[in-house]
Each structure stands twice: as C-alpha cells, then as structure tokens.
DNA sequence: CTTAGTAACTAGTTTGTCTAACTATTATTA
DNA sequence: TAATAATAGTTAGACAAACTAGTTACTAAG
C-alpha cells in the first residue's frame, strides 16, 4: 500500500484486465485476493481524486473551501443559499465562512444580496464568471463520469451502489468513541 | 443535490433498496436514472470519508499531514524512511516536512535516528505509542472494509473494480492543460 | 418593553504552509 | 588533491487560513 506515485497523471490507470478474472472453485484464497483488488482500486480512485482536487485548486488559485463553496452554489443556482448553510456544509466556524466569502467576493466569484424577509441574513450568489470558470475546469469531468457509468447493466449498477453503501458504513464507524481509554 | 447533512454519522447510509431495482425494457431513461444513483452513491461515500478523516484528525489532535506520515511509516515498520521520501510523498517543501517531523517528535510519535551511511541524512521511525494510537483509531476500519467486500461474487468484484478504474480515468483528465502538461 | 436568541461580522491569535538562507556532508572535477 | 558543485536537512521570517471571543443588528417570546 504505497500512495507515493499515484498522484501523478497516468499511473492511476493500471489496467484491471487480469486481476479480476475469476476461478471455478471459489476458494477463500481467491475471495481474499479479489477483496484486496477491490480495495486497491478504491484506494487508487481516492488518490486520483485528491490529485485532481489539487490540480484544480492550483489552476484556479483558490483554496479548497472556496472551491467547495462555488461548487455548492453552482449545483443549483436557483436556490437561495445563506452563509449559515455554508458554515454547516463546510463544518467551519461562522468567522471562517465570513472570511471565505470575503475572499470570494473580492475575487468577483460571488455577490452578497439582502434577504428581504429577514434583515439579519443575506443571500450568496455565484457570479457568471464563477460559473464559467468552474465549468471550464470541472465541466467535462462530470460528463466523463456520466459516460463511464451510463453503459453499466442493472446488475452492475446494483453491485456498485451496494458496495459504496457498505463502504460508507464502514468508514462511518471510525473514531466515534475514543478518549475513553487513554486520556492523560 | 445537497451535501449538507451527509457529513454526520448515520445519514450516509440511506437505504439503496428501491433505487436500483431494474426494469424489463432497459430504456434510456432507466439507464440515466441508474447512472445518477451510482454517482450519488459515490458522492455519499466521499462525504463519509471526508467526515471520517476529520473525526480522526480531531480525536488524535493531529493535522492531516502528520497522520499521513504516521500511516506511511507504520505501513512497513522495517523500512528505513528518510525525510526526503516523506517530502515527495506529501508533495510539500522540505521545510514543511521538517516542521511536521518536529511536531511529531515533540509529541512522541516519531524518533530521528542517524544514518551511518550518509551523515547528512537521518532515518525516521514511528514509536510504539504512534503505532498503538493509530491502530486504536483506524485499526478496525480496514477490517470492516474487508468484511464489506469479502462476500462479493467474482462478477460483482469485477463490476466494482472496472467502475473504479473508469472513475479514476475520468478524474485524471481534469485541469491538466493550462500549464505544463503531465511531467514524469 | 424587556430579554433571549440568531445571523453575520470584526479583531486578535494560532497553526501550518511557503521561500530563502544556512550548516554539514558527500560527490565531482580541474 | 584542492576547489567546487550537489545533496540532506534545518532555521528564520512572511503569509494565508483557520480558530475563539466579542460586537452589531435584527427577530421572537415573555
């Protein structure tokens, strides 16, 4: 399990051709080997995604959270999003959210608009420029992802979705207790 | 469409039961619906993982990169790892690596040892305490992940692995232009 | 009308990164 | 062999982005 080189383009697409061909007698050894191949593929995907995030962040000269905010806003441009919602989404303090919005406003990616119904709060809107920039760098990715799944059979889709849900459950259980044992 | 609540425990495991059942006539509409379900499941998994990382980091009072270094060191405790290797792994400057190692040394998670063959360089070793702490928080996760895939059929494994490889390729192509293209 | 609660912001601090300069050591070459 | 270049890691100082604590403006409840 070495993450080392997988962050550079090309190395993440190691051909799966033979790794997953299966046996007639489905012995425990084979199952273990297949399981490892699946987890390895997942790890490679994660590495590819982390690398993509960094490239995008660099090419847009923008922090991770700023980018997340833009993507969140652009996901449904009709929705009225307030800073508090972004605070919960990012899991940061309200102060940090304010700072992020300041930077995005200064760089011309968002605007702050008054909320007529509650004059304490405001609405955040992505500018056309933000839309264009994000679309230019990430736009094709979603299309490619969709193209990569559109040809899957119902059975394949079901297997993948079930797998992802089990994985989500697996990572959901980490570090929820802790500090009961060894705190100083 | 909203990432908002998916970062909290439990909400990531929305039952997939009906979303993926399939039709007799496999019309384009169904295929599109299935595709969206798959990508949605992937997005939920990602959110679960990000949340897990944060919980771990918080519970160990440690930065993301410190944790990455420890996991890297503990992956094969017999190997002699030098700071330069960690620098390349993390993709940071050598100065930042030094700072990270300073923090880890001060908190008792690593030790610096001399390299007798090249007195400019040193070896980094994780302490037993680091091993125990990491194992305690993340140890079970790998077991749970393995348990979540060990029962998959050869066909299911193949479908999942192929899916992950296609996804890796899809994200690999983002934002590679703009600057010097892929470098070796 | 007062008091409590909420939404966002400001100020000041801490953390973790960066670049540039530095020390010590090893490798190359004139 | 002496001079020079290259390498490994550290130190110093600057900056970006997070945090906590406190403020302002407003709404809701007694």
């Amino acid at each position: 399990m070495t993450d080392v080189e997988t962050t550079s383009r090309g190395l993440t697409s190691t051909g799966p051709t033979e790794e997953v061909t299966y046996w007639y007698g489905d012995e425990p050894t084979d199952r273990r080997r297949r399981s490892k191949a699946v987890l390895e593929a997942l790890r490679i995907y994660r590495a590819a995604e982390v690398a993509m995030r960094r490239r995008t962040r660099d090419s847009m000269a923008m922090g991770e959270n700023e980018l997340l905010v833009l993507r969140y806003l652009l996901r449904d441009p009709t929705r009225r999003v307030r800073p508090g919602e972004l605070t919960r989404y990012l899991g940061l303090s309200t102060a940090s959210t304010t700072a992020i919005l300041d930077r995005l406003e200064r760089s011309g990616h968002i605007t702050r608009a008054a909320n007529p119904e509650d004059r304490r709060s405001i609405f955040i809107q992505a500018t056309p420029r933000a839309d264009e920039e994000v679309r230019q760098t990430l736009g094709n990715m979603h299309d490619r992802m969709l193209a990569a799944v559109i040809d899957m059979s119902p059975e394949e889709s079901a297997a993948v979705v079930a797998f992802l849900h089990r994985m989500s459950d697996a990572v959901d259980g980490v570090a929820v207790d802790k500090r009961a044992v060894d705190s100083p």
Side-chain angles (χ1 to χ4, degrees), chain A:
Chain A
M1 298 230 317
T2 59
D3 279 312
V4 183
E5 286 87 6
T6 49
T7 47
S8 70
R9 167 93 174 105
L11 288 164
T12 53
S13 53
T14 48
T17 34
E18 304 205 300
E19 283 284 52
V20 293
T21 53
Y22 53 92
W23 225 241
Y24 284 104
D26 193 21
E27 302 162 35
T29 311
D30 298 315
R31 299 170 58 156
R32 215 190 135 75
R33 185 174 45 73
R34 284 203 314 270
S35 300
K36 284 187 71 173
V38 170
L39 293 181
E40 174 72 3
L42 180 61
R43 204 186 53 67
I44 288 173
Y45 167 72
R46 268 192 314 232
E49 214 203 57
V50 167
M52 177 274 288
R53 266 171 155 52
R54 174 141 66 198
R55 289 197 306 273
T56 306
R57 223 179 42 203
D58 290 351
S59 94
M60 293 188 69
M62 195 174 277
E64 180 76 25
N65 285 334
E66 271 124 294
L67 188 60
L68 281 172
V69 165
L70 287 189
R71 291 181 65 178
Y72 186 86
L73 292 173
L74 294 169
R75 195 167 290 164
D76 181 3
T78 65
R79 272 191 54 226
R80 312 260 115 182
V81 176
R82 294 183 299 154
E85 183 175 340
L86 297 171
T87 296
R88 288 186 295 279
Y89 170 50
L90 296 173
L92 301 178
S93 64
T94 61
S96 302
T97 304
T98 297
I100 287 167
L101 296 177
D102 285 347
R103 292 195 292 272
L104 285 173
E105 190 176 43
R106 208 172 332 117
S107 63
H109 290 99
I110 63 150
T111 53
R112 288 169 154 107
N115 174 2
E117 289 165 8
D118 183 342
R119 290 193 294 176
R120 291 171 303 182
S121 72
I122 59 175
F123 290 134
I124 306 297
Q125 279 175 313
T127 62
R129 177 171 165 233
D131 184 82
E132 190 191 343
E133 258 182 65
V134 170
R135 207 168 293 279
Q136 192 171 350
T137 45
L138 291 178
N140 299 334
M141 184 184 67
H142 191 258
D143 292 342
R144 280 200 305 278
M145 288 181 120
L146 200 58
V149 297
I150 197 74
D151 288 329
M152 289 168 73
S153 72
E155 293 81 2
E156 286 170 336
S157 303
V160 168
V161 168
F163 161 77
L164 289 171
H165 277 108
R166 286 197 305 273
M167 283 296 126
S168 299
D169 288 343
V171 301
D172 268 343
V174 176
V176 279
D177 44 346
K178 179 65 177 162
R179 284 290 107 113
V181 192
D182 60 5
S183 76

